[in-house]
Amino acid sequence: MFGIKEVGIDLGTSSVLIYQKGKGIVLREPAVVAVDVNKGTAIATGYKAQRMLGRTPEHIKAVRPMRDGVISDYELTSKMLREFLRKAIKPGILGYKAVACVPSGVTEVEKRAVIDAVSQAGASRVRIIEEPIAAALGAGLDISKPNGSMVVDIGGGTTDIAILSLDGIVVRESIKVAGDKFDEAIVKYVKKKYNLLIGERTAEEAKLEIGCVLPMEEERSFEVRGRCLITALPKTIELTSTEMAEATIETAMQIAEAVYSVLERTKPELISDISQNGLVLTGGGSLIWGMDILLKQRTGIDALIAEDSISCVAEGTGKALDYIESLPNEAQRKKIIYS
């Protein structure tokens, strides 16, 4: 009916990005689905569903079908993907080949769940790539040479850290501490300090506006509204960037310690390469101010934020098909991709 298309899918906890060969990023939407509980049908996805979070009547529920980088609700994930792919690949969505990314170190069952969900959404063939490899390809790193490269991908649900060399992962670690944990930390901080209850979406807005893990040179502030836990009435406060750093530093340090742990397990020759080239930060969480500075303080290695870091994994996922086809043998291909 239509020519076979090749797409890369960054199936993230907080957002889904779709890369189409020859076009680049063709869709970027929140990984949220609104469901009619009585009928069991999805009534909205993406931005429309996100606007419903915390604002729905009893018969409608807005949920994230992905948790900590893996599928928590298979049916909703399939419905969400089908709708996103319908928007992204027009006209027609049948017969395309897809590469989807998963956090480093997921189980075979979790990989199979992603393959099944993408297949249900219309793909004729689905392959899986680990996020650090996709992030490295998207950031333009040459992982084919016998030189060490280090990627720290801070997403919504997980932070994936890996040392790469000769088209493979030498040392890896995936922790369930990332963008969502920053949001939770802000919610807890505001509740404890101001007796003010705010939603995670409000916390995310504050993070995007004045988010930092270290105090900024120039103080900034953001107006936060919520429900006072003492009076049960609406209340507004000014949250400063200094307070934001206090709220997020513990979460940021968990990421820094995981990076340090990976370096501890890395061979000296590869450490030498990384010390010279620096470590590369990708993912939306890398953009929180001071994250690169904190990692340099903890490791002594320059931390470089990739260009368009939010899209790196999606672009690398899309580029993976061409990349593996350039490899000389099946053994090398299997280092990169799972099918």
Side-chain angles (χ1 to χ4, degrees):
M1 182 166 51
F2 300 103
I4 292 179
K5 299 177 174 67
E6 295 179 357
V7 301
I9 302 171
D10 179 5
L11 189 58
T13 302
S14 59
S15 61
V16 175
L17 283 78
I18 296 177
Y19 175 99
Q20 186 174 331
K21 187 176 180 180
K23 292 186 177 181
I25 303 295
V26 292
L27 180 134
R28 189 195 309 264
E29 297 241 9
V32 184
V33 184
V35 182
D36 186 318
V37 177
N38 297 330
K39 297 179 181 178
T41 57
I43 60 174
T45 58
Y47 287 112
K48 289 183 179 178
Q50 186 187 50
R51 287 194 286 269
M52 299 180 186
L53 284 170
R55 297 184 173 96
T56 58
E58 288 185 0
H59 71 284
I60 296 175
K61 189 177 181 182
V63 297
R64 287 182 172 182
M66 300 286 295
R67 283 290 170 190
D68 298 328
V70 296
I71 294 174
S72 62
D73 190 312
Y74 174 80
E75 291 298 328
L76 287 183
T77 301
S78 294
K79 290 176 181 178
M80 178 181 71
L81 274 176
R82 194 176 296 115
E83 178 63 21
F84 286 163
L85 287 161
R86 185 190 66 79
K87 290 181 185 179
I89 311 173
K90 296 183 275 190
I93 63 168
L94 298 177
Y96 62 88
K97 294 189 289 185
V99 178
C101 66
V102 295
S104 179
V106 297
T107 65
E108 295 299 312
V109 172
E110 289 165 340
K111 287 179 183 176
R112 179 52 56 185
V114 173
I115 289 174
D116 290 345
V118 178
S119 296
Q120 285 288 322
S124 61
R125 183 176 184 183
V126 184
R127 291 176 170 180
I128 296 295
I129 186 171
E130 292 188 35
E131 284 183 14
I133 295 178
L137 292 174
L141 298 181
D142 185 354
I143 62 173
S144 65
K145 295 179 180 178
N147 294 319
S149 299
M150 185 171 192
V151 173
V152 181
D153 179 53
I154 308 174
T158 62
T159 293
D160 286 276
I161 308 154
I163 308 291
L164 302 108
S165 179
L166 293 171
D167 290 322
I169 296 178
V170 182
V171 185
R172 61 161 63 84
E173 185 158 346
S174 181
I175 60 171
K176 295 177 180 179
V177 179
D180 288 350
K181 293 297 183 186
F182 283 116
D183 297 341
E184 291 174 17
I186 295 165
V187 171
K188 290 178 182 177
Y189 181 88
V190 172
K191 181 179 179 181
K192 183 178 180 180
K193 184 169 183 177
Y194 293 102
N195 286 309
L196 182 69
L197 185 63
I198 62 173
E200 287 186 10
R201 188 173 177 196
T202 300
E204 184 179 22
E205 290 172 354
K207 179 182 71 178
L208 293 174
E209 287 294 324
I210 61 168
C212 58
V213 299
L214 297 171
M216 293 180 171
E217 292 181 4
E218 184 178 339
E219 185 82 300
R220 297 175 59 191
S221 64
F222 181 75
E223 196 174 76
V224 173
R225 299 181 182 87
R227 174 165 57 86
C228 178
L229 292 172
I230 297 173
T231 65
L233 296 174
K235 181 181 176 181
T236 302
I237 63 163
E238 285 286 329
L239 190 65
T240 68
S241 54
T242 298
E243 292 173 315
M244 181 67 73
E246 292 175 10
T248 59
I249 185 60
E250 184 177 342
T251 302
M253 282 304 300
Q254 291 180 56
I255 295 172
E257 289 304 319
V259 172
Y260 184 82
S261 172
V262 168
L263 289 169
E264 275 190 314
R265 292 180 276 131
T266 303
K267 294 177 182 178
E269 291 80 3
L270 293 174
I271 287 286
S272 175
D273 296 336
I274 295 162
S275 297
Q276 183 177 354
N277 300 326
L279 60 88
V280 177
L281 294 174
T282 64
S286 68
L287 299 178
I288 188 166
W289 192 90
M291 195 69 224
D292 54 339
I293 300 170
L294 181 68
L295 288 176
K296 183 175 181 180
Q297 289 176 351
R298 184 67 184 94
T299 65
I301 299 171
D302 287 336
L304 314 170
I305 300 173
E307 185 177 349
D308 196 11
S309 61
I310 295 176
S311 302
C312 276
V313 171
E315 292 192 7
T317 303
K319 293 174 182 176
L321 278 174
D322 283 341
Y323 186 75
I324 62 166
E325 286 172 6
S326 71
L327 298 175
N329 58 64
E330 189 63 25
Q332 284 181 287
R333 294 185 187 109
K334 286 181 178 179
K335 289 183 184 178
I336 301 290
I337 210 154
Y338 170 94
S339 57

